Amino acid sequence: MQDLHNNIHLKRGISPAAAVVDNTPFVSQIVDLAGYDAAEFAILTGALADADATFTTLVEHGDAANLSDAAAVPDDLLLGLETQASFLFSDDDKVFKIGLRTSKRYARVTITPAANTGNAFVAGVWVLGRPRNRPTSNPPA
């Protein structure tokens, strides 16, 4: 069996927090992709109380550290589709993922609710892989 532990680096994406009760987007931390050749964003849902809410996922990238130059990642650079990482009110306690291949240095994910008037718990984590320097630090810095 190959070693995954020393070949990935985890970064905070969307911290667990109080439920969102409106259409306020969940915006991930901007991740610095320097030193890694692979990136995946894992989305974790908790309770999604509204009976008709939808949650749309968007992946952006750019070269500015604050992503002032942010642009949507083209579909041909995504691993999976943003529609596969989007979800509905009925997707309680599930995990979704979206990956990207980009030459840009920074990325972020935004999950935008629509028709949400109930509690929505969403969290996320960046999983960076194919590090140019191994092993990766533990705990991740």
Side-chain angles (χ1 to χ4, degrees):
M1 179 177 279
Q2 289 190 347
D3 168 17
L4 180 63
H5 180 82
N6 289 306
N7 290 290
I8 62 170
H9 189 67
L10 305 176
K11 297 296 264 181
R12 181 168 58 98
I14 299 170
S15 294
V20 169
V21 296
D22 57 16
N23 293 322
T24 301
F26 297 90
V27 181
S28 81
Q29 297 290 309
I30 295 170
V31 68
D32 186 348
L33 302 170
Y36 297 90
D37 292 325
E40 192 80 17
F41 191 75
I43 301 164
L44 298 82
T45 66
L48 303 171
D50 193 292
D52 64 351
T54 60
F55 300 82
T56 303
T57 299
L58 170 67
V59 184
E60 297 173 296
H61 63 173
D63 287 316
N66 65 357
L67 277 182
S68 57
D69 62 341
V73 176
D75 288 347
D76 64 333
L77 296 180
L78 291 174
L79 301 170
L81 302 171
E82 289 167 318
T83 54
Q84 294 171 311
S86 299
F87 48 95
L88 303 172
F89 61 92
S90 56
D91 289 321
D92 295 325
D93 302 316
K94 292 192 178 171
V95 178
F96 300 87
K97 66 181 182 177
I98 186 85
L100 66 148
R101 296 178 305 231
T102 180
S103 60
K104 304 288 184 182
R105 176 143 179 200
Y106 300 95
R108 78 173 160 224
V109 170
T110 301
I111 302 166
T112 304
N116 180 46
T117 59
N119 291 333
F121 292 93
V122 176
V125 64
W126 283 104
V127 182
L128 304 180
R130 294 188 176 167
R132 294 186 196 125
N133 294 306
R134 293 177 186 94
T136 56
S137 61
N138 190 33

